[in-house]
């Protein structure tokens, strides 16, 4: 350290005497050496103060006190910089972990949209953050039954993702798309109630579609009401159900209802992230979704309509995605 002090004093003295760019350049390069020697900012100021005292015998006490003050401030500043750097390192570590977790989630929850001959299916799911709190699960067996679960976990991040894994596990244990929707919800409810924290709940709409008879059966656990369009009557109807959210009561029971889909009929299943801002006075999101679907579904695929609804909602005034966005369309 003594060698550094002497060298710094020489560089400072030369600069004060000449004030040339060359001495300034030498001083800038000397700072690199100080960094290599782990000299702290407050130690640099202390070295500078001592050099000035040796160069000038008559420095006012007020100037020296000012340097003492700066040294103390820089000690605190250095501690805060270290805390900030540690926080940035931790945030980067968490970001990397979240990226890995999101990739694992996408792999574990990956589901393939089936393509049965009698219906057109479209689905779009966009997470608010890296981890998706929504999940759509398809089951399709022997060209007879199509099963679809649209799920929304009340919560975000890794806990929601872990809960979603429980939902997928429960659906995988059922295996068959022909299961009654009410039974599916009761099984899932018992699994979730035993497996997740009391502060987490799941809303879920389960649909079973009979591809031979065109009967669509649905049951809901606290989920956003689906929309059913009857082409013959040219009317929309809400597919409501008053079942409890999954995970609240272990012995909860769920009802199911049937509708028969005819040519031109379609069903729209959404999570509440699609309609969260519908209570604003300017517009009713559900009405906008009805209008968009009705105007475009005659000449677009179900997938194209899902994507169009999302893009058109984004154009609305003050639109802001505040939750995971998931929409599913089944068209006869």
């Amino acid at each position: 350290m003594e060698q550094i002090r002497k060298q710094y004093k020489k560089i400072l003295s030369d600069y004060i005497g000449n004030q040339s760019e060359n001495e300034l350049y030498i001083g800038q390069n000397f700072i690199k050496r100080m960094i290599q020697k782990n000299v702290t900012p407050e130690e640099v100021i202390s070295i500078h103060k001592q050099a000035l005292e040796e160069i000038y015998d008559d420095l006012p006490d007020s100037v020296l006190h000012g340097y003492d003050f700066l040294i103390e401030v820089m000690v605190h500043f250095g501690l805060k910089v270290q805390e900030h750097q540690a926080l940035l390192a931790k945030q980067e570590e968490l970001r990397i972990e979240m990226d890995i977790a999101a990739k694992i989630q996408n792999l574990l929850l990956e589901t393939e949209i089936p393509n049965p001959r009698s219906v057109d299916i479209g689905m779009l799911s966009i997470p608010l953050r890296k981890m998706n709190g929504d999940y759509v699960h398809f089951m399709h067996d022997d060209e007879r039954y199509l099963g679809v679960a649209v799920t929304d976990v009340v919560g975000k991040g890794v806990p929601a993702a872990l809960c979603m894994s429980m939902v997928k596990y429960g659906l995988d244990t059922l295996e068959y798309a022909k299961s009654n929707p009410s039974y599916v919800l009761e099984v899932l409810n018992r699994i979730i109630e035993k497996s997740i924290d009391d502060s987490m709940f799941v809303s879920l709409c389960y649909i079973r579609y009979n591809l031979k008879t065109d009967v669509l059966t649905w049951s809901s656990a606290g989920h956003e009401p689906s929309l059913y369009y009857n082409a013959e009557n040219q009317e929309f109807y809400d597919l409501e159900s008053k079942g409890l959210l999954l995970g609240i009561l272990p012995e909860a029971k769920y009802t199911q209802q049937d509708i028969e889909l005819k040519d031109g009929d379609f069903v729209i299943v959404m999570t509440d992230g699609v309609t969260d801002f519908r209570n604003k006075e300017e517009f009713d999101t559900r009405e906008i979704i009805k209008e968009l679907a009705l105007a475009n579904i005659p000449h677009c695929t179900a997938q194209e309509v899902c994507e169009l609804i999302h893009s058109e909602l984004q154009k609305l005034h003050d639109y802001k995605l505040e939750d995971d966005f998931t929409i599913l369309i089944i068209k006869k």
Side-chain angles (χ1 to χ4, degrees):
M1 182 67 77
E2 185 61 32
Q3 184 68 19
I4 289 177
R5 293 181 190 276
K6 289 179 180 179
Q7 290 177 323
Y8 183 85
K9 176 185 174 183
K10 174 68 169 57
I11 294 169
L12 178 61
S13 179
D14 290 344
Y15 178 75
I16 292 173
N18 301 318
Q19 296 185 22
S20 70
E21 290 291 333
N22 184 56
E23 275 77 23
L24 183 59
Y25 178 73
I26 293 172
Q28 290 171 341
N29 283 328
F30 189 70
I31 288 295
K32 296 178 183 178
R33 185 182 172 193
M34 290 177 141
I35 293 173
Q36 292 172 349
K37 295 293 185 180
N38 295 321
V39 180
T40 64
E42 63 269 20
E43 287 174 332
V44 173
I45 297 170
S46 179
I47 292 170
H48 183 81
K49 174 192 172 188
Q50 183 176 339
L52 283 178
E53 287 182 288
E54 293 174 1
I55 294 170
Y56 299 102
D57 295 331
D58 55 349
L59 276 178
D61 288 343
S62 57
V63 173
L64 299 177
H65 294 330
Y67 275 109
D68 291 336
F69 174 80
L70 183 57
I71 290 170
E72 293 300 322
V73 169
M74 291 306 294
V75 169
H76 185 71
F77 176 78
L79 293 174
K80 291 300 179 183
V81 168
Q82 290 176 6
E83 291 176 6
H84 180 65
Q85 290 174 336
L87 179 60
L88 290 177
K90 185 65 176 177
Q91 288 177 334
E92 179 62 14
E93 181 182 341
L94 290 174
R95 185 193 67 79
I96 294 172
E97 289 180 357
M98 287 297 292
D99 285 343
I100 295 172
K103 290 177 181 177
I104 293 173
Q105 184 195 37
N106 291 336
L107 187 63
L108 289 175
L109 303 184
E110 185 177 9
T111 184
E112 184 176 346
I113 301 176
N115 187 29
R117 288 190 297 271
S118 58
V119 290
D120 181 20
I121 301 172
M123 189 271 288
L124 183 68
S125 186
I126 300 174
L128 177 65
R129 303 190 181 100
K130 290 184 181 294
M131 306 294 287
N132 200 340
D134 291 351
Y135 174 52
V136 180
H137 185 89
F138 293 95
M139 288 186 285
H140 184 210
D141 57 22
D142 65 23
E143 293 296 322
R144 177 67 186 268
Y145 289 102
L146 169 70
V148 187
V150 180
T151 312
D152 184 2
V153 175
V154 180
K156 296 289 180 291
V158 175
L162 293 174
C163 180
M164 202 63 74
S165 298
M166 287 291 103
V167 174
K168 185 179 188 302
Y169 164 75
L171 290 167
D172 285 341
T173 61
L174 294 168
E175 293 185 354
Y176 303 111
K178 64 184 180 182
S179 300
N180 282 326
S182 59
Y183 172 73
V184 171
L185 293 188
E186 288 169 12
V187 170
L188 290 175
N189 180 61
R190 288 193 291 270
I191 293 173
I192 292 169
E193 196 275 333
K194 292 178 181 178
S195 306
I196 66 174
D197 186 83
D198 291 341
S199 64
M200 298 194 70
F201 310 104
V202 178
S203 78
L204 191 148
C205 175
Y206 189 84
I207 288 175
R208 181 190 65 192
Y209 183 64
N210 188 320
L211 298 165
K212 301 294 185 182
T213 64
D214 296 322
V215 172
L216 183 148
T217 308
W218 87 93
S219 185
S220 175
H223 201 79
E224 177 81 15
S226 302
L227 291 171
Y228 159 57
Y229 179 74
N230 184 299
E232 183 179 357
N233 298 337
Q234 297 184 352
E235 290 285 344
F236 275 98
Y237 302 91
D238 287 344
L239 301 185
E240 302 220 42
S241 180
K242 297 182 179 180
L244 275 176
L245 290 164
L246 302 179
I248 295 179
L249 295 176
E251 300 304 322
K253 298 297 181 182
Y254 298 90
T255 60
Q256 63 184 44
Q257 300 177 61
D258 297 333
I259 53 173
E260 181 182 353
L261 293 190
K262 298 181 180 179
D263 286 347
D265 292 357
F266 60 89
V267 173
I268 304 175
V269 187
M270 303 161 283
T271 57
D272 56 14
V274 179
T275 56
D276 262 347
F277 55 102
R278 68 181 182 272
N279 292 325
K280 290 189 176 182
E281 295 180 1
E282 306 96 279
F283 48 77
D284 183 333
T285 310
R286 290 177 69 87
E287 289 301 317
I288 293 174
I289 291 171
K290 292 177 186 179
E291 293 171 7
L292 289 171
L294 201 54
N296 292 280
I297 209 159
H299 54 271
C300 294
T301 65
Q303 184 62 38
E304 289 170 339
V305 176
C306 289
E307 293 170 2
L308 185 144
I309 288 172
H310 176 252
S311 64
E312 290 300 316
L313 289 179
Q314 286 183 300
K315 297 176 184 177
L316 295 176
H317 179 63
D318 289 338
Y319 174 83
K320 182 181 179 182
L321 184 64
E322 297 180 348
D323 198 355
D324 303 310
F325 181 106
T326 298
I327 186 167
L328 165 79
I329 295 178
I330 300 175
K331 175 189 175 185
K332 168 64 177 172

